[in-house]
Amino acid sequence: MLENAMRKMFKTTSRRIAVPALLTIFLYVIAMFIVFLPHIEQSFISRKKELIRELTETVWSLVENYHERELSGELTRPEAQKRALLRIGTLRYGPEKKDYFWIADMTPRMILHPYRPDIVNKDIEEIQDSGFKTLYFSWKEVVETKGVGYVDYQWQWKDDPNKMTDKQSYIKGFEPWGWIVGTGMYLSDIYAEIDAIRNRFIAISTAILGIVLMLSLYSIRQTMKADRVLMRTLIERNVLNISLKKSKERFRSLLENTSDWIWESDEKGQYTYSSPRVEALLGFSSEEAIHKTIMDFVPIDLKNLYQKTFENLLGGQKPFRGFETTCQKKNGENVVVEHNAVPVFSENGGLLGYRGVTRDITDRKKAMEELKKSRDVLHANLEETVKSLAYAAEKRDPYTAGHQTRVDRLACAIARELGLSDHQIEGLHFAALLHDIGKIALPSEFLSKPTMLSHEEHEIIKCHPQVGYDILKNIHFPWPVAEMVYQHHEYLDGSGYPRNLTDKEILLESKILTVADVVEAISSHRPYRPSLGMNAALEEIRNGRGIRYHAPSVDACLKLIKAENVDLLGLSEIDKGELGPIKNAT
């Protein structure tokens, strides 16, 4: 009778486990193959379409950039178009680096096609795919109606003229030049990738279903065994209770002998439990620590320093880490400790108190202080090294001694006026001190020549930014000092040297350095001429504002000079009384 009842119970239990498991498998199959897999495939195709759209937009932006250079007068239209085609013609992407970009115009002509030179610069009006779709009219219709869009057609597969396949391209018209820019994806490749994803998905799903099925069978079997071991479980429970008691004792022993002071407090921060480690840390026994707070161990003269923070931490009812205080040991010795704690709440959400750990970090703080001192010494050494390099350069050009220091003073003042960070200003400071370091390699007779330099001599002098860059490029500054030095004679309009960089290619620090260098150079004496005066210097940067010189830097410089916020005596060798009124400085 009992055996039949047990058998019936086992069958009922088996059905209760098997039915939900089989239903779960069925729902999983429906969800995966009817809902999720089609969604994943569609999402994959959408991502591919978005990819060719973004790539086409990028190349279109490249064409627009050359058009802007045409409009600025930097390039003629044929030059701009030629450069654009040369650059775009080399672009490849994709796993095999065979996917490309093509360009046609509205004539219609194929202007660029890396794999079909036979149709470049030829009429493509009659070119059809294997489905008799006229490609040009498909492109033209999209461009004229929408400006951008996707087109479907058949074309050779990448660089293989013998293999035709379905292709979808994203095209965008560039109206100023009458161009159509496009790139595409081969649908056969897309479907192959989708098939690979589907096959992997099927394999993984099959494995998961198999595992779920085996787990279900295993669960049924284990459930049937459960009742047989129920009595044994009751016996083992008593053994486990004894083992748990021993584990608690071991945990308590570990807790009381750890190197950190472990404690519990109420909502007011008063200790309700203290591990014995407090005695080694502060000299007080666990009993003496009870009902005290962190602040009771803080020296009287430091309580105001920590009290507000301590109250905010308690009131925040959140975990806190790294709360550092200085505590006074029982013998009067001070020690620096770090408190970390988490709040403990009741079942209804009320704060019961905190459970935390306090550790001695005195040695760590001392080590950090030593590290800070070492860093300060290294920084001071860097400062002295840079000044020594600058001094070495000035020894080659004694007539302009102090030029780099004065440029540094003005450049850093401009940077502060523009709101640059302390880190940026520090990098600019070093670059300013070193901006003429390249002159160390130039002939001294050129630097101190009392007459105007010849063209050849001037060209040699113009090499000093490059030489300075070569000297500094392998020194690992935390800032791009070498590049700032390299660019300090570059102008926004590209008329500077040595690389003819333009606005967007020049570092902000270099733009500031250029303005400071020009003002100091014009307002100071040179071997071949007397000082032209501060008014002439300000007139130069005012006339070049926004053209050669960075407009915000010019405005900041004019403002500083007018308000006399820069030491003019330090900025040049001219007495402030000889400058006369600084007119229209802003």
Side-chain angles (χ1 to χ4, degrees):
M1 185 69 177
L2 180 60
E3 182 179 350
N4 292 335
M6 290 294 293
R7 186 180 293 109
K8 183 177 180 180
M9 183 185 69
F10 291 159
K11 289 181 179 179
T12 302
T13 303
S14 299
R15 284 196 298 270
R16 288 177 179 176
I17 297 175
V19 171
L22 294 174
L23 183 60
T24 299
I25 293 173
F26 178 72
L27 293 176
Y28 175 82
V29 171
I30 292 177
M32 290 298 103
F33 291 92
I34 297 180
V35 179
F36 294 118
L37 186 57
H39 176 73
I40 292 172
E41 293 174 355
Q42 186 59 43
S43 176
F44 180 79
I45 294 174
S46 298
R47 285 198 302 271
K48 288 290 186 179
K49 292 178 69 175
E50 181 65 17
L51 173 63
I52 64 171
R53 185 191 70 79
E54 291 178 354
L55 290 171
T56 302
E57 292 286 353
T58 300
V59 171
W60 189 93
S61 297
L62 182 62
V63 174
E64 184 180 37
N65 177 261
Y66 280 100
H67 175 59
E68 290 174 354
R69 295 175 69 179
E70 173 201 344
L71 295 179
S72 68
E74 179 184 350
L75 300 171
T76 64
R77 175 167 290 192
E79 289 174 341
Q81 291 179 339
K82 181 179 179 181
R83 291 192 184 187
L85 292 174
L86 285 174
R87 189 167 178 185
I88 297 170
T90 61
L91 297 178
R92 299 290 185 275
Y93 64 95
E96 299 176 335
K97 299 299 182 185
K98 289 187 177 182
D99 293 295
Y100 58 91
F101 300 91
W102 52 263
I103 300 177
D105 63 16
M106 304 295 284
T107 308
R109 288 181 306 127
M110 179 62 73
I111 298 175
L112 172 67
H113 197 293
Y115 297 142
R116 291 292 304 274
D118 57 306
I119 64 173
V120 173
N121 293 322
K122 293 183 180 180
D123 191 331
I124 59 172
E125 186 172 4
E126 301 301 326
I127 294 181
Q128 298 178 334
D129 65 8
S130 58
F132 301 103
K133 178 185 287 187
T134 304
L135 303 183
Y136 168 67
F137 287 108
S138 300
W139 300 341
K140 181 179 179 183
E141 180 182 359
V142 170
V143 171
E144 289 183 344
T145 57
K146 302 177 182 177
V148 298
Y150 295 92
V151 291
D152 297 318
Y153 55 95
Q154 287 191 332
W155 194 257
Q156 74 176 45
W157 187 82
K158 299 181 181 178
D159 58 346
D160 186 354
N162 298 319
K163 181 179 177 181
M164 301 298 292
T165 184
D166 292 332
K167 186 175 184 180
Q168 185 176 79
S169 285
Y170 183 85
I171 63 175
K172 183 173 183 178
F174 187 72
E175 185 176 353
W177 290 351
W179 282 9
I180 302 173
V181 180
T183 189
M185 58 182 180
Y186 296 94
L187 299 183
S188 58
D189 291 348
I190 301 299
Y191 295 143
E193 291 186 51
I194 290 176
D195 287 341
I197 293 173
R198 183 185 293 110
N199 292 337
R200 287 197 299 271
F201 190 81
I202 291 173
I204 293 171
S205 298
T206 302
I208 292 174
L209 291 175
I211 292 171
V212 171
L213 184 60
M214 287 189 292
L215 289 175
S216 299
L217 294 174
Y218 178 78
S219 297
I220 293 172
R221 182 178 178 183
Q222 291 302 112
T223 301
M224 295 174 66
K225 291 181 178 180
D227 289 335
R228 299 173 185 172
V229 298
L230 181 57
M231 187 59 67
R232 191 190 313 167
T233 301
L234 294 175
I235 296 172
E236 290 178 351
R237 180 182 296 178
N238 186 50
V239 175
L240 288 174
N241 286 334
I242 297 173
S243 177
L244 181 60
K245 184 177 180 180
K246 291 180 179 180
S247 295
K248 287 182 177 180
E249 291 175 354
R250 284 195 298 268
F251 177 74
R252 185 174 185 84
S253 176
L254 179 65
L255 185 70
E256 293 178 350
N257 290 283
T258 184
S259 60
D260 293 331
W261 173 26
I262 300 173
W263 49 263
E264 290 181 350
S265 73
D266 59 17
E267 72 279 7
K268 296 179 181 179
Q270 294 179 339
Y271 297 118
T272 56
Y273 167 77
S274 172
S275 69
R277 181 61 183 173
V278 67
E279 188 165 0
L281 182 64
L282 297 177
F284 296 93
S285 66
S286 299
E287 292 74 17
E288 289 177 308
I290 299 301
H291 303 309
K292 294 183 182 296
T293 70
I294 293 173
M295 301 308 299
D296 291 324
F297 297 109
V298 173
I300 296 176
D301 57 333
L302 297 178
K303 285 186 183 293
N304 291 336
L305 180 64
Y306 304 120
Q307 185 67 43
K308 190 64 176 178
T309 303
F310 176 60
E311 293 174 356
N312 291 337
L313 291 174
L314 292 179
Q317 299 187 11
K318 295 179 180 179
F320 59 85
R321 295 179 57 83
F323 176 40
E324 297 180 7
T325 65
T326 297
C327 292
Q328 191 172 58
K329 299 173 70 171
K330 194 172 185 178
N331 61 6
E333 180 185 348
N334 285 346
V335 61
V336 182
V337 296
E338 179 186 77
H339 310 278
N340 303 293
V342 294
V344 179
F345 298 99
S346 63
E347 293 182 358
N348 58 9
L351 179 66
L352 295 177
Y354 288 86
R355 184 175 294 124
V357 175
T358 297
R359 61 174 54 97
D360 184 353
I361 60 169
T362 305
D363 291 339
R364 188 176 77 188
K365 295 294 288 186
K366 290 180 180 178
M368 290 177 65
E369 287 296 325
E370 290 298 323
L371 182 62
K372 182 178 182 300
K373 290 179 182 178
S374 298
R375 185 192 63 188
D376 292 341
V377 170
L378 287 175
H379 188 276
N381 289 340
L382 175 61
E383 182 83 20
E384 292 304 317
T385 301
V386 168
K387 288 182 178 178
S388 297
L389 287 173
Y391 178 72
E394 289 185 345
K395 292 294 286 183
R396 297 281 295 168
D397 188 9
Y399 202 91
T400 58
H403 166 71
Q404 296 183 119
T405 302
R406 293 191 293 272
V407 170
D408 167 43
R409 187 180 297 113
L410 179 56
C412 290
I414 293 172
R416 280 190 290 271
E417 183 68 23
L418 294 179
L420 270 66
S421 68
D422 291 341
H423 180 75
Q424 289 176 290
I425 294 174
E426 189 173 16
L428 176 59
H429 161 64
F430 288 121
L433 288 177
L434 295 171
H435 75 276
D436 279 341
I437 188 67
K439 290 183 178 180
I440 201 170
L442 301 182
S444 59
E445 58 268 22
F446 290 2
L447 299 175
S448 58
K449 186 176 180 181
T451 59
M452 295 296 293
L453 298 174
S454 66
H455 175 73
E456 292 76 12
E457 292 169 338
H458 185 61
E459 288 300 313
I460 293 175
I461 294 294
K462 288 169 64 175
C463 294
H464 77 273
Q466 173 71 59
V467 175
Y469 174 77
D470 292 337
I471 292 173
L472 299 173
K473 66 182 179 181
N474 292 323
I475 301 177
H476 299 290
F477 290 101
W479 318 270
V481 171
E483 190 63 33
M484 294 182 210
V485 171
Y486 204 2
Q487 297 179 4
H488 81 275
H489 277 297
E490 301 285 358
Y491 298 143
L492 304 185
D493 58 3
S495 62
Y497 64 86
R499 292 180 289 173
N500 304 115
L501 302 181
T502 56
D503 185 3
K504 295 182 179 178
E505 299 170 302
I506 305 173
L507 297 172
L508 173 59
E509 293 90 337
S510 298
K511 297 174 184 177
I512 296 172
L513 184 56
T514 299
V515 172
D517 187 39
V518 168
V519 171
E520 202 289 325
I522 294 176
S523 65
S524 296
H525 295 298
R526 287 294 181 265
Y528 52 86
R529 61 151 174 85
S531 167
L532 300 178
M534 182 60 71
N535 283 325
L538 299 184
E539 189 65 22
E540 164 62 20
I541 63 172
R542 189 184 295 112
N543 291 338
R545 181 185 181 276
I547 301 172
R548 295 186 300 279
Y549 310 120
H550 182 231
S553 298
V554 171
D555 294 340
C557 180
L558 295 173
K559 179 181 177 183
L560 290 167
I561 300 297
K562 181 179 180 181
E564 299 185 0
N565 288 338
V566 177
D567 180 6
L568 296 179
L569 292 176
L571 188 59
S572 72
E573 297 176 356
I574 305 172
D575 289 334
K576 190 182 297 185
E578 296 178 359
L579 291 174
I582 306 300
K583 298 179 180 179
N584 303 320
T586 57

